[in-house]
Amino acid sequence: MISKLIVRGLVAGLLAGLLAAVFAYTVGEPRIDQAIALEEAAAAASSAEPHDDTGTAAHSHDDEEEALVSRDGQRFGLFLALGLYGLAIGGLFSLVYAAVRGRAGPRSEPVLAVTLAAAAFTSVVLIPFMKYPANPPAVGDPETIDQRTVLYLVAVAIGILAVAAGTAAHRYASRSEPWVRWLSAGAAFLVPVVAAWILLPEISEVPQGFPADLLWDFRIASIGTQAVFWAGVGALFAFAARRRGPV
C-alpha cells in the first residue's frame, strides 16, 4: 500500500533530518560562529568613528541593531528546520520509490532505496555544490542573492537531468555488454554536467583575506550535513523495507 510507503518515508526522513541536525550542530555551528565573529569585526572596523581635533572619538546616536533571532534560537531552529525538511523529503522520496519500484533500478527493495538516495544526493546536492559551493554568513553580496538562487536552482535541474540521462542510457543499452552500458550511462551523465560547468557563470564573492581554512571547513560541514541526511534516508528506508518486507 502506498500509505505504508509514505509513512515509512516520513519516519525515515524525520530521523535522517535529526541525524543531519546533530552533525550540523556539532561540525558546522562552530564554523558559523567564527564566520559571524569575522563579519562583526569587519563591520565594526568599517563603521569606526573618526576622531575629532581633541582626540576624542565621535559617537553615533544610532543604536546598534540587535539580531532578530538569537544564536540559541537559531540552533533550535536548525533542528526544527531539518526535521521538517526531513519529513517533506521523506514523503517525496517514498512517492518516487513507489513510482520506480518494479520498473527501474535494482529488484531488491533495500538496494533500490539506497540507490535512489545516492542518486538524489548526487543530483540535487553534489552536482550543484561542485559549481556553487555553500558560503558562510560573512561571504556573499546581498544584492546578488536572487541571481545566486536562480543559478543554484538551474544547477539542481541540470543535476536531475544528468542522473535521469545516465539512467535512461543504462536502460537503453541493457542488452549490450556491461562495459557498454556503464560507458553509455557515464557519457550521458557527464555531458550535461560538463556543459553546465562551462556555460554557467562563476560567482566568486569571497572577500580578500577571508581565512581559507574556515571557508573549507564550512563547506565540508555543509556537504557533510547533506551526506548524512541522504545516507540516513537511504539506510533507514532500506532497513524498514528489509524488516517489513514488500508493501
Coordinates of all heavy atoms in Angstrom, one line a residue, residues 166 169-186:
G166 N 21.7 9.5 -17.5 CA 22.5 8.4 -17.3 C 21.8 7.1 -17.0 O 22.1 6.0 -17.6
A169 N 20.2 6.0 -20.4 CA 21.2 5.4 -21.3 C 21.6 4.0 -20.8 O 21.7 3.1 -21.7 CB 22.4 6.3 -21.3
H170 N 21.6 3.8 -19.5 CA 22.0 2.5 -19.0 C 20.8 1.5 -19.4 O 21.1 0.3 -19.8 CB 22.1 2.6 -17.5 CG 22.6 1.3 -16.9 ND1 21.8 0.3 -16.5 CD2 23.9 0.9 -16.6 CE1 22.5 -0.7 -16.0 NE2 23.8 -0.4 -16.0
R171 N 19.6 1.9 -19.2 CA 18.5 1.0 -19.6 C 18.4 0.8 -21.1 O 18.1 -0.3 -21.5 CB 17.2 1.7 -19.1 CG 17.0 1.7 -17.6 CD 15.6 2.1 -17.2 NE 14.6 1.1 -17.7 CZ 13.3 1.3 -17.7 NH1 12.8 2.5 -17.2 NH2 12.5 0.4 -18.1
Y172 N 18.7 1.8 -21.9 CA 18.7 1.7 -23.3 C 19.7 0.6 -23.8 O 19.4 -0.1 -24.8 CB 18.9 3.0 -24.0 CG 18.8 3.0 -25.5 CD1 17.6 3.0 -26.1 CD2 20.0 3.0 -26.3 CE1 17.5 3.0 -27.5 CE2 19.9 2.9 -27.7 CZ 18.6 2.9 -28.3 OH 18.5 2.9 -29.6
A173 N 20.8 0.6 -23.1 CA 21.9 -0.4 -23.6 C 21.8 -1.6 -22.7 O 22.8 -2.3 -22.5 CB 23.2 0.3 -23.4
S174 N 20.7 -2.0 -22.2 CA 20.5 -3.1 -21.3 C 20.9 -4.4 -21.9 O 21.3 -5.4 -21.2 CB 19.1 -3.2 -20.7 OG 18.2 -3.4 -21.8
R175 N 20.8 -4.6 -23.2 CA 21.2 -5.8 -23.9 C 22.6 -5.8 -24.4 O 23.0 -6.8 -25.0 CB 20.2 -6.0 -25.1 CG 18.8 -6.2 -24.7 CD 17.9 -6.5 -25.9 NE 16.5 -6.7 -25.5 CZ 15.5 -7.0 -26.3 NH1 15.8 -7.1 -27.6 NH2 14.3 -7.1 -25.9
S176 N 23.3 -4.8 -24.1 CA 24.7 -4.7 -24.5 C 25.6 -5.3 -23.4 O 25.2 -5.7 -22.3 CB 25.1 -3.3 -24.8 OG 24.3 -2.7 -25.8
E177 N 26.9 -5.3 -23.7 CA 27.9 -5.8 -22.7 C 27.9 -4.8 -21.5 O 27.6 -3.6 -21.7 CB 29.3 -5.8 -23.3 CG 29.5 -6.8 -24.4 CD 29.4 -8.2 -23.9 OE1 29.7 -8.5 -22.7 OE2 28.9 -9.1 -24.7
P178 N 28.2 -5.3 -20.3 CA 28.2 -4.4 -19.1 C 29.1 -3.1 -19.3 O 28.6 -2.1 -18.9 CB 28.8 -5.3 -18.0 CG 28.4 -6.7 -18.5 CD 28.5 -6.7 -20.0
W179 N 30.2 -3.3 -19.9 CA 31.1 -2.1 -20.1 C 30.5 -1.1 -21.0 O 30.6 0.1 -20.8 CB 32.5 -2.5 -20.5 CG 32.5 -3.0 -22.0 CD1 32.4 -4.3 -22.4 CD2 32.7 -2.2 -23.2 NE1 32.5 -4.4 -23.7 CE2 32.7 -3.1 -24.2 CE3 32.9 -0.9 -23.4 CZ2 32.9 -2.7 -25.6 CZ3 33.1 -0.4 -24.7 CH2 33.1 -1.3 -25.8
V180 N 29.7 -1.5 -22.0 CA 29.0 -0.6 -22.9 C 27.9 0.1 -22.1 O 27.7 1.3 -22.3 CB 28.4 -1.4 -24.1 CG1 27.6 -0.4 -25.0 CG2 29.5 -2.0 -24.9
R181 N 27.2 -0.6 -21.3 CA 26.1 0.0 -20.5 C 26.6 1.1 -19.6 O 26.1 2.2 -19.6 CB 25.3 -1.0 -19.7 CG 24.6 -2.0 -20.5 CD 23.5 -2.7 -19.7 NE 24.1 -3.4 -18.5 CZ 24.5 -4.7 -18.5 NH1 24.4 -5.4 -19.6 NH2 25.0 -5.2 -17.4
W182 N 27.7 0.8 -18.9 CA 28.2 1.8 -18.0 C 28.9 2.9 -18.7 O 28.9 4.1 -18.2 CB 29.2 1.1 -17.0 CG 28.5 0.2 -16.0 CD1 28.4 -1.1 -15.9 CD2 27.6 0.7 -14.9 NE1 27.6 -1.6 -14.9 CE2 27.1 -0.5 -14.3 CE3 27.2 1.9 -14.5 CZ2 26.3 -0.4 -13.2 CZ3 26.4 2.0 -13.4 CH2 25.9 0.8 -12.7
L183 N 29.5 2.6 -19.8 CA 30.2 3.7 -20.6 C 29.1 4.7 -21.1 O 29.2 5.9 -21.1 CB 31.0 3.1 -21.7 CG 31.7 4.1 -22.6 CD1 32.8 4.9 -21.7 CD2 32.4 3.4 -23.7
S184 N 28.0 4.1 -21.6 CA 26.9 4.9 -22.1 C 26.3 5.8 -21.0 O 26.0 7.0 -21.2 CB 25.8 4.0 -22.7 OG 26.3 3.3 -23.8
A185 N 26.1 5.1 -19.8 CA 25.5 5.9 -18.7 C 26.4 7.0 -18.3 O 26.0 8.1 -18.0 CB 25.2 4.9 -17.6
G186 N 27.7 6.7 -18.2 CA 28.7 7.7 -17.8 C 28.7 8.9 -18.7 O 28.8 10.1 -18.3

